Amino acid sequence: MVDVTRAAAYAADLLVRQHRRIEGLLGEVKSGGARETSFAELVRLMAAHESVEESLVHPAVDRCGAAGAGTRVHEERELLATLSELYELGVDHVEFPGRFGEFADRVAMHMATEEVRELPIFRHAASTLDARRIAAAIELVETFVPQREPVEGETAVVAPPLPLFTRLCDAVDAGLGRG
């Protein structure tokens, strides 16, 4: 049981670490500093994070007996759709700050719900196989989201959120198998 708990705690900690990174990027985009670079990193990170959650985390949480995983998937799909709308709008559009602020609030609420309702159950009831798959998938998709300082004058380039999410889900499924 100790190995199961340790593996699940490690996987859950990786998810929470990504949540904190998403929160930081939301704040950077809202503050308007290096908005384009921060938004590009946010798009990549959210696509990577949500691909692991949809492919592996939520099915594992369901197997642990937690209710509401289907609701989280629905919320994530809505968040990714809104992220796509923001991507199409562009960070320099006059409506971007207001719409992004609403989006950021919804993302924060979604992540808090996962951390309170799902991750405690996952930490105590996940199988070692699920926990190891999730940790490996997080480490895999993080290679698509390098953390680095923006370079002066550099244009941030990123694929649109939904196609990126789909490709990452496919990569997770192909590399680790659907949970």
Side-chain angles (χ1 to χ4, degrees):
M1 185 64 162
V2 172
D3 285 339
V4 172
T5 303
R6 190 174 308 137
Y10 177 69
D13 289 346
L14 289 175
L15 290 165
V16 171
R17 185 184 75 209
Q18 284 188 337
H19 284 179
R20 296 297 82 80
R21 193 165 157 209
I22 289 168
E23 286 174 349
L25 289 168
L26 291 168
E28 289 175 24
V29 174
K30 283 169 67 172
S31 73
R35 181 177 283 161
E36 187 173 314
T37 301
S38 297
F39 185 70
E41 185 176 341
L42 177 67
V43 167
R44 287 190 300 268
L45 179 56
M46 285 196 63
H49 179 79
E50 300 307 339
S51 68
V52 172
E53 285 191 341
E54 183 168 313
S55 294
L56 299 172
V57 175
H58 296 304
V61 168
D62 272 342
R63 286 190 292 278
C64 293
T71 302
R72 299 294 83 72
V73 170
H74 178 73
E75 290 170 358
E76 289 164 357
R77 291 290 175 108
E78 287 181 344
L79 290 171
L80 286 169
T82 302
L83 186 61
S84 291
E85 292 168 9
L86 289 165
Y87 175 89
E88 292 299 322
L89 193 61
V91 297
D92 295 324
H93 194 281
V94 69
E95 291 181 22
F96 184 88
R99 290 178 66 186
F100 186 83
E102 293 170 8
F103 167 77
D105 291 344
R106 288 180 29 228
V107 171
M109 183 174 288
H110 170 78
M111 292 186 304
T113 300
E114 286 178 337
E115 290 179 24
V116 170
R117 292 190 181 161
E118 293 183 342
L119 292 182
I121 294 167
F122 176 81
R123 285 179 191 274
H124 296 291
S127 72
T128 302
L129 178 62
D130 280 340
R132 288 184 178 155
R133 276 186 175 165
I134 290 165
I138 291 168
E139 291 166 353
L140 170 72
V141 298
E142 282 190 344
T143 64
F144 293 96
V145 193
Q147 286 183 304
R148 62 180 182 79
E149 293 297 315
V151 176
E152 182 89 27
E154 180 181 67
T155 301
V157 178
V158 66
L162 291 178
L164 180 59
F165 167 77
T166 301
R167 285 194 305 251
L168 289 168
C169 280
D170 291 346
V172 167
D173 292 344
L176 300 164
R178 192 169 277 277

